[in-house]
Amino acid sequence: MPDTFDLTVIGTGPGGYVCAIRAAQLGMNVAVIEKRATHGGTCLNVGCIPSKALLHATELFAEAGHGFAGMGITIPAPKIDIPKLMAYKQDAIDGNTKGIEFLFKKNKITAFHGSARILDAGKVEVRPDEGKPELIETRNIVIATGSDVAPLKGIEIDEKDVVSSTGAIALDKVPGHLVVVGAGVIGLELGSVWARLGARVTVIEFLDRILPGMDSEVAKQFQRLLQRQGFTFKLSSKVTGIDKTKKGLSVSVEPAKGGDASTVEADKVLVAIGRAPYIQGLGCAEAGVECDDKGRIEVHADFQTSVAGIYAIGDVIHGPMLAHKAEDEGIAVAEIIAGEAGHVNYDVIPGVVYTSPEIAAVGKTEDEVKAAGIEYKVGKFPFMAIGRAKANRTTDGFVKIIADARSDKVLGVHIMGAQAGELIHEAAVLMEFSGSAEDLARTCHAHPTLSEAVKEAAMAVAGRAIHM
């Protein structure tokens, strides 16, 4: 073990572990500090990976129960075994977290387990669960501690009856009625998991729409699809209290703008109103690291904080709280520390909602383009008109492309439909090279594929879609 590390990364979520590996590739002596027993942060342990495992399994369950017969496949009605479902989820977690452990060993990265506290630039104390604290001396520090569940004022999350996303992926039985507080990505994804298994799901949202930040046209159509799947929505509403009763939970709901309260009876309540930067116990204030009024660490263009040699990336700084955004920042900051030109293009960061159908977006929404006063054109194409979608019975949704009216440069792409999370990346690559709708329209797409809808939407920008 070197006496002094070139870089110490606090947190081994997607941003932290990727940063550490890239720094090691660039020849640095690297240490990481992780308070969990396993690496991977929220994403791999209780977030992205386990939730996607549950989404995948329950989507197959729903397909077997409702879709197979129409394709001539006759099977008994499927049954869900919750303990086996949770074991399957754990296998996905274990495979990924052990993979990071292997990569650390491969890249000769020294791992410390315990809570980190920055004593000063170049000095970090690690407090393990057992044993004495250790002092790490390091030339550079990267804070990559991620985020935690945003609390709902006056509501206690016990992870049994009132749960966060962490508790919602570990329920021991299907709730009769699940109330979801918050109509964002996490709430709709986990609501979908339990709805497919038979739960009645009610979503309560403070705003007058679902999926804030996403294209409003997409959000409206997606809400209709979720309602067809059994979701109930109470928009422009706020939860003011949750009481335990003999039958379960009684949720007090009021109009967002004020008014008479009503109650909703529930078996479980999922609080999913967002996430907040996690910097508790790090000693940021004592070390001189400045934060904004939302608790995010303030950084310069090179990700350096107000203290020279201390950097921050991922959910603890400004920007979308997305694992892949953190990964790109991790690579960029490692390269910057090494004297290279690390860079993140924040205009081309895809976002995906892993429901059924999926929603994916990259770039600006139509609402944003309109608000900016940009002259634009829109091309839309429905999956209903795509041969492969008809054959697969995945015709819900559409592709929407927004292009500059003068230059034809693609400003944003929004997809609602099967495999949207995969389809979005040809748009991301196109936009990374400042491509036009015409570039995309004249690129040959294989037939029959779902991606033909992307090409047709690009052709529709100029009013020349073929199959519509």
Side-chain angles (χ1 to χ4, degrees), residues 261-277:
S262 60
T263 58
V264 178
E265 304 303 318
D267 296 289
K268 303 287 182 183
V269 174
L270 163 60
V271 177
I273 60 170
R275 298 185 65 82

Side-chain angles (χ1 to χ4, degrees), residues 367-378:
D367 315 79
E368 290 171 333
V369 172
K370 191 178 296 182
I374 299 170
E375 292 184 36
Y376 66 96
K377 298 179 292 183
V378 174

Side-chain angles (χ1 to χ4, degrees), residues 186-254:
I186 294 172
L188 297 185
E189 286 185 354
L190 295 180
S192 293
V193 166
W194 297 106
R196 291 172 196 160
L197 298 180
R200 184 162 61 93
V201 176
T202 298
V203 180
I204 302 171
E205 169 58 46
F206 185 83
L207 300 177
D208 62 355
R209 54 163 292 175
I210 71 171
L211 294 175
M214 295 202 116
D215 189 87
S216 58
E217 181 183 15
V218 173
K220 287 177 183 177
Q221 293 210 27
F222 185 57
Q223 183 180 337
R224 294 190 194 105
L225 287 177
L226 289 178
Q227 286 168 334
R228 276 170 32 196
Q229 294 176 16
F231 278 61
T232 298
F233 290 92
K234 288 183 176 292
L235 304 180
S236 300
S237 301
K238 59 183 178 181
V239 171
T240 57
I242 301 175
D243 296 317
K244 293 187 178 182
T245 67
K246 292 181 179 180
K247 294 182 178 180
L249 300 171
S250 180
V251 183
S252 297
V253 183
E254 294 180 9

Side-chain angles (χ1 to χ4, degrees), residues 112-446:
F112 295 86
H113 285 275
S115 299
R117 184 175 181 81
I118 301 170
L119 302 181
D120 202 348
K123 293 185 179 180
V124 183
E125 182 184 70
V126 183
R127 289 184 172 272
D129 290 339
E130 296 181 1
K132 297 181 179 179
E134 291 186 73
L135 179 64
I136 297 175
E137 294 190 357
T138 181
R139 293 184 179 88
N140 299 283
I141 298 167
V142 171
I143 300 170
T145 47
S147 60
D148 199 0
V149 174
L152 181 60
K153 186 178 180 180
I155 304 301
E156 180 186 354
I157 296 175
D158 60 14
E159 299 298 9
K160 293 181 180 179
D161 296 311
V162 181
V163 299
S164 69
S165 55
T166 301
I169 62 168
L171 299 180
D172 57 6
K173 65 179 181 179
V174 180
H177 185 198
L178 173 67
V179 168
V180 179
V181 186
V185 175
I186 294 172
L188 297 185
E189 286 185 354
L190 295 180
S192 293
V193 166
W194 297 106
R196 291 172 196 160
L197 298 180
R200 184 162 61 93
V201 176
T202 298
V203 180
I204 302 171
E205 169 58 46
F206 185 83
L207 300 177
D208 62 355
R209 54 163 292 175
I210 71 171
L211 294 175
M214 295 202 116
D215 189 87
S216 58
E217 181 183 15
V218 173
K220 287 177 183 177
Q221 293 210 27
F222 185 57
Q223 183 180 337
R224 294 190 194 105
L225 287 177
L226 289 178
Q227 286 168 334
R228 276 170 32 196
Q229 294 176 16
F231 278 61
T232 298
F233 290 92
K234 288 183 176 292
L235 304 180
S236 300
S237 301
K238 59 183 178 181
V239 171
T240 57
I242 301 175
D243 296 317
K244 293 187 178 182
T245 67
K246 292 181 179 180
K247 294 182 178 180
L249 300 171
S250 180
V251 183
S252 297
V253 183
E254 294 180 9
K257 295 181 180 179
D260 295 335
S262 60
T263 58
V264 178
E265 304 303 318
D267 296 289
K268 303 287 182 183
V269 174
L270 163 60
V271 177
I273 60 170
R275 298 185 65 82
Y278 184 80
I279 57 172
Q280 287 87 334
L282 273 179
C284 288
E286 293 82 354
V289 175
E290 295 179 1
C291 297
D292 65 15
D293 58 0
K294 294 184 178 180
R296 299 174 301 198
I297 296 174
E298 294 185 328
V299 295
H300 303 293
D302 62 354
F303 303 101
Q304 194 159 205
T305 69
S306 51
V307 179
I310 301 179
Y311 301 78
I313 61 169
D315 287 3
V316 296
I317 69 171
H318 179 78
M321 291 182 168
L322 297 170
H324 43 285
K325 176 255 195 187
E327 287 184 10
D328 275 15
E329 290 174 340
I331 290 172
V333 74
E335 292 173 347
I336 289 168
I337 291 170
E340 298 189 0
H343 171 70
V344 178
N345 183 358
Y346 289 100
D347 291 329
V348 186
I349 296 180
V352 183
V353 187
Y354 295 91
T355 46
S356 180
E358 292 181 347
I359 297 175
V362 62
K364 296 185 181 300
T365 65
E366 185 173 359
D367 315 79
E368 290 171 333
V369 172
K370 191 178 296 182
I374 299 170
E375 292 184 36
Y376 66 96
K377 298 179 292 183
V378 174
K380 289 187 287 189
F381 196 85
F383 283 103
M384 179 69 74
I386 293 297
R388 182 67 182 274
K390 288 180 179 178
N392 291 0
R393 294 192 167 194
T394 54
T395 55
D396 285 332
F398 61 96
V399 179
K400 177 179 181 178
I401 296 178
I402 303 165
D404 187 283
R406 296 179 181 178
S407 67
D408 197 41
K409 177 182 176 181
V410 173
L411 305 175
V413 178
H414 307 271
I415 306 174
M416 179 173 68
Q419 299 182 37
E422 304 296 334
L423 296 176
I424 198 65
H425 293 101
E426 71 165 311
V429 172
L430 176 89
M431 292 171 64
E432 194 64 49
F433 288 90
S434 299
S436 67
E438 183 75 6
D439 291 329
L440 190 50
R442 292 194 178 277
T443 300
C444 187
H445 285 60

